[in-house]
Each structure stands twice: as C-alpha cells, then as structure tokens.
Amino acid sequence: MPKRVVSEERRRRRRPTKSGRVLSEALIVETALRLLREHGGAGLTARRLGLALDCDPSTLYRYFRGMDELTLAIGDALIGRALHGWHPTGQWRADLRAVGLRIHAAYLSHPQAAVLTASRVSGRAGELAADEAVLDVLRGAGFPLAETVRVYHAFIDTTLAFAALDAASLALPGAARRADEDMWRSTYARLPAATHPRIAEAAPLLATRMVTSAYPTALDMLLASAENSLGPVPHPRSALQDPDDTP
C-alpha cells in the first residue's frame, strides 16, 4: 500500500523547541546566516544548526530537503532583503543603479554567505522578484526584447560577480585582508619608474582606489553602454510590447 502523501505545511514543526522557539524557514535561514558569520562556510552543518536552534538536526529536513536547498534559501533571502523598500521611479538608469547597489550591499553584509550563494540560481521568490523588476525596468525604458535580455544578463552577472569577489575579500581572516591591502603601499608604491613607469606614476591613486570595490564604476560603465545602445527613446507604449513587433 503506497504511503499517504503528507503536505508540506503538515510537515512543519508546530511545537516549540526546548528554548521555546517555534521553527520556521525564516528562523532557520537567519540562524544559518549567523553561523556563517561566526564560523564560515565550513561551520554550517545540520548538526551545528540543530544545536543553535535547540532541536534535533533531523527536524531541519521538514523545512529543507538538504543543506544545498538551505544554501539556496540563504541566497534568496539576501536578494529579498535587497529589494525590500525599493520602488521604481521611472528613471531606468537610476532604478537599475539602485537595484544593483542594493544587491551588492546585501551580499557584502553577509560575506561568508555571499561566497556560498552568489553563483547559484535558486528560482525562489526573492530571486524571481529581482529578475522581474530588472526586466520590467528595461522593457519600460524601451529596450527591444533581445537587447533587454542582453543587458539584463550583463547587469545581473556583473552585480553577482563583484558581490562574490568583494565578499571573498571580506571573508578572509583580518590579517590576510590587511596584508593584501597593504601590498599596494608596501610593494606597488615602491617600484622604481625605471622598471615600472606606469605603475610608479599611478601608485598613489592605486593605493587609494584598489582597496575599494570597483562595482559602482563598473555598474556606471555598463549602464552608460546600455544607454548608448538604446538610442532615441521611442514613443511611449506598453512595456510588454516589443518595438520590433509593431505591424
């Protein structure tokens, strides 16, 4: 006789844990973020998460099929936080810049989690909302469908790539991160012009700029390029109608 299917809702734990908390996906994700911040990626295990939540580790599998699904939920939560409170203004460049900076900042607020999740595709609610928002801004600005997808691809991959790169630096032990940053002053700034003329002339600027994120600059360059490809803004029409589809 086949086993009766139990709904996802009924699999959730309703009784409080020993510490008096009722488990939820949001609570598990928040606790996982804390463990990542304190112990890094290697410290996020079902056993350690169960101890932090004061529950048996097996209980977690009522909410997530495994640790990989939890990882996807963590990344989705970061994107969802980035969009919280954001509303489009109708100025497409300003809107996309705001979305990009928000996503980048959300990941950097949890660098250990960003290292694990920035390269993943979850298909969950926060990610879908962000994708829909970016595509809608581009279509509303008058980009043809194919160009919309091209710019969206560059925009989201640039944002996530810089989030992963910058988060990886922030996730380093403090001494290693400081040593990397000091290299621009201790080594690059001392190279003689006779052997490295271009580095020597740029050294003071490199020492200042290279310890900050290049993402805002790269984002502005990407949006400027997209604006050049847009050309004259077409007559206003529905964002869902492709200019190439006009009879």
Side-chain angles (χ1 to χ4, degrees):
M1 181 177 179
K3 298 177 72 173
R4 185 164 58 91
V5 175
V6 179
S7 69
E8 183 178 3
E9 183 63 25
R10 290 185 61 189
R11 292 200 305 269
R12 303 300 191 243
R13 180 190 177 107
R14 292 304 174 199
R15 289 176 299 164
T17 63
K18 296 176 184 178
S19 59
R21 293 180 295 182
V22 176
L23 292 184
S24 66
E25 284 195 6
L27 177 60
I28 295 170
V29 167
E30 190 62 38
T31 304
L33 283 169
R34 176 172 61 80
L35 290 179
L36 284 168
R37 184 169 57 250
E38 294 174 355
H39 304 287
L44 182 61
T45 64
R47 180 179 178 277
R48 181 167 271 162
L49 195 52
L51 288 172
L53 290 165
D54 204 14
C55 70
D56 191 280
S58 63
T59 305
L60 302 173
Y61 297 103
R62 296 182 180 184
Y63 297 83
F64 300 100
R65 286 188 290 266
M67 295 302 291
D68 190 65
E69 187 176 49
L70 173 58
T71 297
L72 296 177
I74 291 170
D76 193 66
L78 295 180
I79 295 178
R81 294 179 183 186
L83 283 186
H84 183 71
W86 175 82
H87 300 285
T89 66
Q91 303 296 316
W92 73 267
R93 275 192 64 167
D95 288 341
L96 287 189
R97 193 176 196 277
V99 169
L101 292 175
R102 279 170 165 262
I103 293 174
H104 183 259
Y107 275 106
L108 263 58
S109 68
H110 293 279
Q112 294 83 3
V115 171
L116 285 180
T117 64
S119 63
R120 303 300 302 277
V121 181
S122 74
R124 295 171 72 98
E127 179 181 280
L128 295 176
D131 290 346
E132 180 69 17
V134 173
L135 291 168
D136 187 59
V137 167
L138 291 168
R139 290 294 274 157
F143 285 90
L145 183 57
E147 186 67 5
T148 291
V149 173
R150 188 181 78 90
V151 175
Y152 157 80
H153 184 197
F155 171 83
I156 202 67
D157 276 14
T158 297
T159 301
L160 294 176
F162 270 100
L165 175 67
D166 295 338
S169 177
L170 290 175
L172 286 172
R177 186 172 67 252
R178 288 190 295 273
D180 284 358
E181 293 175 351
D182 288 344
M183 193 67 66
W184 296 102
R185 293 182 292 271
S186 64
T187 298
Y188 280 77
R190 297 178 181 177
L191 290 173
T195 57
H196 298 81
R198 297 309 181 195
I199 293 179
E201 71 175 350
L205 294 175
L206 289 173
T208 300
R209 180 170 287 275
M210 296 305 292
V211 296
T212 65
S213 175
Y215 176 64
T217 299
L219 178 60
D220 286 338
M221 293 170 69
L222 188 154
L223 295 176
S225 175
E227 187 171 45
N228 288 336
S229 72
L230 179 60
V233 178
H235 184 73
R237 65 181 76 207
S238 170
L240 297 179
Q241 182 179 358
D242 193 330
D244 295 339
D245 295 339
T246 305

